[in-house]
Amino acid sequence: MQKLRQAKVPKTKLLVATMFLALCSAAAQPPGRANIVLILTDDLGWSSLSSSMDRHLAGASSDYHETPAIDRMVREGMRFSRGYAPDPICTPSRRSIQFGQTSLRQGDEEFAGNYRDAAHRPPSIPETLKSADPSYVAAHFGKWDLRAGITPEQLGYDESDGNTGNRDGDFSQERGEKWLKEYILENPKQTDSLTARAIRFMAKQSGADKPFYLQVSHYATHVNFETRPQTYRKFADKKKGNRHDNAAWAGMIYDLDASIGRLFEALDSLGLSANTYIFLMADNGGVEFIPPVGNRLAPPSAFSKPMRNAPLRGGKWTLYEGGIRVPFIVKGPGIKAGTQSDVPVAGWDLLPTFCELAGKTPLNDSRLDGGSLFSLLKNGGKGKVARTSDDFYFHRFNNSYPHSAIISGPYKLVHFWKTGITELYNLAKDPGEIHNIRASEKTRAELMEKRLFSYIRKTNPAIAAKYPDGKKSAP
């Protein structure tokens, strides 16, 4: 039985008034220079929305959750059925997005020392946009969590909430029972206050005729479970789904979605919608079960109920599709409404995409792994993204089960370093990664493994040195 905790937190009485004054005080920005908004959610699974992330695949939406505002994005914009987070956990993904690189290239413990000095790292998103047009103003609100002693301002953001992390979005700091308790609040996961700051920022830049980049990094839906009283009641009274059945989690997603809807309404009221691109994605996939299980690498058949990211396998903390394939939606001028792109894209593509949307020639920097999605957005999701490599590379920095992956077209290879086991899947035929075709596709597997190891030796030789033969070299 879950424990329900009623948190007595005062309502944010000035929220509505603040939003109203912000809207009324700003004149609409004339068309020309594009504004860019990135909404980054936390631990939001690929099949957690009430809209399908792949209209060709059964079960690619929730059987319990409701997300009407994000559904609007899907109707009015472009969904990417194969949108990937850079990493299956939050911090490396957030680092990757800021610099357009894989988390494998950036490293883990060495990241802080290598990226504090601007002279020896690639430019961040704000720095790139300002090089395209110095009039851009940038803001970051919400969860930062680079865990590197690097603030948003050091990367070129003009406004921010500072060097924030999970604790800044949680009502309670009790960690021992975070998967068991539910907190009933009026400002769950700071969604209202984040949205209010975002709207004030947009109104200010609109009034000053300044193009802007706004990143709203929500604390939801990372645990703790936090939701409004009326929202909790809504889902507690609703028939449970087969995959999704947690009322507090469903409420947290619904409250998150409502705050996203208010941001859309503000853009409309400010007259900015026609000249603003809105991107939405998650930093990693949702947890595979509530509470999480210890054998998270096991196949779906090992469990008595469907995994929460089904029809995908696994979830947060693993490189199976449930851990890295996430909601990825874009809405904005010139994007055909209701389109779906099946071209694989990733979080490291955002920086070069934003650069081109700001009017700058696509970047030519060998340190970047991403490529601009501009042509896909303007061509109904069809085409090819120009990157330094056609392959996607991932690595899970974890001492218990370190593993790496390469995605090449429809094929995905996962290599487990401690055991030396390699698995190969055809995602076009087997998106749930049930059938390991390593034995029947030996040549393909060997070639993909060779490219994976080559990329690792080139970008992060410490991994290759630790596992020189593809296996752990020492006990």
Side-chain angles (χ1 to χ4, degrees), residues 438-451:
R438 172 72 172 80
S440 60
E441 292 268 12
K442 185 177 179 180
T443 300
R444 184 187 303 277
E446 289 176 348
L447 289 173
M448 290 180 65
E449 194 173 64
K450 183 178 180 180
R451 295 202 301 276

Side-chain angles (χ1 to χ4, degrees), residues 38-45 83-97 103 143-145 147 166 215-222 280-287 316-318 322-328 347 350 394:
L38 170 61
I39 302 169
L40 186 64
T41 65
D42 200 312
D43 291 5
L44 186 62
Y84 288 95
D87 201 271
I89 59 174
C90 55
T91 295
S93 273
R94 292 161 191 273
R95 294 169 174 174
S96 170
I97 288 169
S103 62
K143 179 177 172 180
W144 182 242
D145 208 37
R147 305 189 190 187
N166 289 325
Q215 183 168 332
V216 185
S217 297
H218 280 282
Y219 298 100
T221 56
H222 192 280
L280 183 143
M281 68 170 293
D283 62 350
N284 50 253
V287 293
K316 181 180 180 178
W317 303 296
T318 80
I324 53 176
R325 196 191 295 200
V326 296
F328 198 117
L350 294 178
F394 304 87

Side-chain angles (χ1 to χ4, degrees), residues 10-36:
K11 294 183 179 180
T12 310
K13 296 182 179 179
L14 295 179
L15 176 63
V16 176
T18 300
M19 294 169 61
F20 177 78
L21 291 173
L23 296 177
C24 292
S25 64
Q29 178 183 307
R33 298 166 295 176
N35 306 305
I36 302 167

